[in-house]
Amino acid sequence: MSIPSVSFEFFPPKTLEASFHLWDCVNTLAPLDPSFVSVTYGAGGTTRQLTHEAVTTLHKATGLCVAAHLTCVDATKAETLEIAKGYADAGVRDLVALRGDAPKTTQNFKQHPEGFDSSISLTEALAELDTFNIRVGAYPEKHPEAADHAADIAFLKRKFDAGATSAITQFFFEADTFFRFRDDCVKAGIDAPIIPGILPIENWAGTQRFAKQCGAHIPNVIHDAFENATRDGTTELLATAIASELCDDLLQGGVDHLHFYTLNRPELTRDICHALGVTPKVQLQNVA
């Protein structure tokens, strides 16, 4: 089994204390030499400015390849493209183009009257700038708003046709889920890289909520195992074992890149990477 390349997702800090914590996360995981790191938007675009500050600071201070999340929520097309151009001016050349989640006060996405209606139109506009490497989201299990799984595949193909260069999947808990999705993508004529997204189970209750919101199936065996581990106080060991096994199965099936949703809690992700043979290679030089 070959050692995979890896990438990590962070979310932008909202407080000074959280800013220091983000730097701790970066310092913990950057030595693993990630292909890129990404920084998210909050629901409803609530962290737009914080995301921009985090991305540009990380890019300047660390030398890492930083991918900025960009969404369609609560912004005009002109405003969104101006943000993208600001990233380009700062030397950031990687974006993750997403429709985005609705604000917490709203149940469903609502297009801004002068904004992009979907990640397809956003991707197309960004591609026309001929500046960015554009990643998009993918759903190995049916998106909660999709008619069916085939509709998800067709939508993903349209994003690639619009100019996306690769996709990162929503998290899942069984390797076969990804393999079936990958096979369906190939059948649909998609030949671009699709990177599996891995969510280490830092918080069991929180993971169950996340999974319900995005339609990710949690196998009964994991439910049972965490109930036992919670009683025994061994949830961290179990989480490491489950994610390591999932990643190992993916690598055995030909995957060569893994993207970790860190939730700004780097230790578990670091331990999983070490278990896969991904060990420290570089040290940050300029982080204060």
Side-chain angles (χ1 to χ4, degrees), residues 1-7 33-36 166-167 178-179 182 192-196 198 246-260 276 278:
M1 182 184 70
S2 60
I3 297 174
S5 58
V6 295
S7 52
D33 195 22
S35 297
F36 67 92
S166 64
F178 177 80
F179 294 143
R182 185 179 63 182
I194 299 177
I195 303 168
I198 308 298
L246 171 60
C247 292
D248 183 68
D249 289 344
L250 291 169
L251 299 178
Q252 295 287 353
V255 168
D256 59 9
H257 186 122
L258 301 167
H259 184 73
F260 290 90
L276 299 171
V278 181

Side-chain angles (χ1 to χ4, degrees), residues 143-228:
H143 187 286
E145 297 176 33
D148 51 35
H149 185 60
D152 272 335
I153 300 290
F155 199 81
L156 178 60
K157 187 173 189 308
R158 290 176 63 193
K159 286 191 277 190
F160 281 120
D161 290 343
T165 52
S166 64
I168 304 169
T169 76
Q170 182 58 272
F171 63 86
F172 54 91
F173 296 101
E174 295 177 291
D176 283 346
T177 299
F178 177 80
F179 294 143
R180 285 192 293 269
F181 174 69
R182 185 179 63 182
D183 290 346
D184 289 341
C185 287
V186 171
K187 291 175 184 176
I190 296 173
D191 58 5
I194 299 177
I195 303 168
I198 308 298
L199 178 68
I201 303 176
E202 289 277 0
N203 180 293
W204 175 230
T207 296
Q208 291 177 89
R209 289 194 299 271
F210 293 155
K212 184 176 181 181
Q213 291 168 3
C214 68
H217 171 67
I218 302 178
N220 289 334
V221 65
I222 294 182
H223 277 283
D224 294 342
F226 266 93
E227 287 183 9
N228 293 330

